[in-house]
Amino acid sequence: MTLRTLILLRHSKAETPGDLVDFDRSLTERGESDADAAGAWLADARLHPDFVLCSPARRTRQTWQTAAIALAQGENGQVSPEVLYEEGLYLGGRTEVFDLLRRVPETVRTVLLVGHNPTVSEVSALLLPDDQFTGTVVEMKTSGLAVHSGEKPWSETQPGAMRLARQHTARG
């Protein structure tokens, strides 16, 4: 079996909605700094995604783009990942996330998913196998990262299928 890695990243701090449509909210200055710190942490941890699933909302796109720049600085010749902006990551919930993960090409070893709460926290908690599940909800803060690993193919991604290997909250 091949080890597969799923990195969940909650978008960085965004401006308060005010008169803006939620979809169009941008990162704050702190959010940009935290997204940069998230990318630097991924580079330091040698977690280079082959494939990125990202919500199309402005704040998630900005989180990925800022993190990607920091990640690229530490990649040493790594190839840029394919990125899919998936509406289901904005409009949907955990069911849509699992459906998207099951469609990831089997040649992909590491997926980075950039999304929103409560969905990313729920997915992280649901992925935990019984021996690791604590019964509490995993609450990812903005710029929070949860790294899961498993040996089953992406097509078999389901609750309880991936151990939580690491967690980190990036703060710039």
Side-chain angles (χ1 to χ4, degrees):
M1 282 284 170
T2 302
L3 185 65
R4 310 231 188 260
T5 302
L6 171 63
I7 306 160
L8 299 171
L9 172 58
R10 181 179 171 194
H11 69 76
S12 295
K13 180 82 173 147
E15 59 194 356
T16 53
D19 293 333
L20 285 175
V21 174
D22 181 70
F23 188 85
D24 294 329
R25 292 170 48 209
S26 293
L27 294 184
T28 62
E29 194 172 306
R30 183 186 120 198
E32 289 177 13
S33 176
D34 291 350
D36 179 72
W41 183 83
L42 289 169
D44 288 347
R46 297 176 189 249
L47 291 167
H48 303 283
D50 306 310
F51 194 77
V52 176
L53 292 167
C54 186
S55 161
R58 179 174 289 158
R59 61 192 177 275
T60 47
R61 289 190 330 258
Q62 290 175 328
T63 298
W64 161 241
Q65 291 161 356
T66 303
I69 291 167
L71 184 59
Q73 292 173 350
E75 283 189 335
N76 297 328
Q78 293 275 345
V79 176
S80 295
E82 178 180 353
V83 181
L84 291 179
Y85 295 96
E86 288 288 343
E87 206 168 283
L89 292 175
Y90 180 72
L91 298 173
R94 57 191 186 208
T95 300
E96 287 77 9
V97 170
F98 280 98
D99 289 346
L100 286 168
L101 291 171
R102 287 184 197 112
R103 292 195 302 264
V104 169
E106 295 303 338
T107 55
V108 171
R109 299 290 174 254
T110 302
V111 172
L112 172 65
L113 185 144
V114 187
H116 308 268
N117 250 7
T119 303
V120 290
S121 291
E122 290 171 351
V123 168
S124 186
L126 284 169
L127 284 168
L128 299 175
D130 288 341
D131 69 326
Q132 201 177 31
F133 185 72
T134 62
T136 60
V137 176
V138 176
E139 181 63 31
M140 293 175 64
K141 298 184 182 314
T142 55
S143 303
L145 294 140
V147 181
H148 289 266
S149 62
E151 294 183 350
K152 292 186 177 183
W154 293 113
S155 60
E156 295 178 30
T157 302
Q158 62 187 6
M162 299 184 92
R163 297 191 69 73
L164 180 63
R166 303 170 85 166
Q167 277 188 294
H168 180 75
T169 299
R171 293 282 186 242

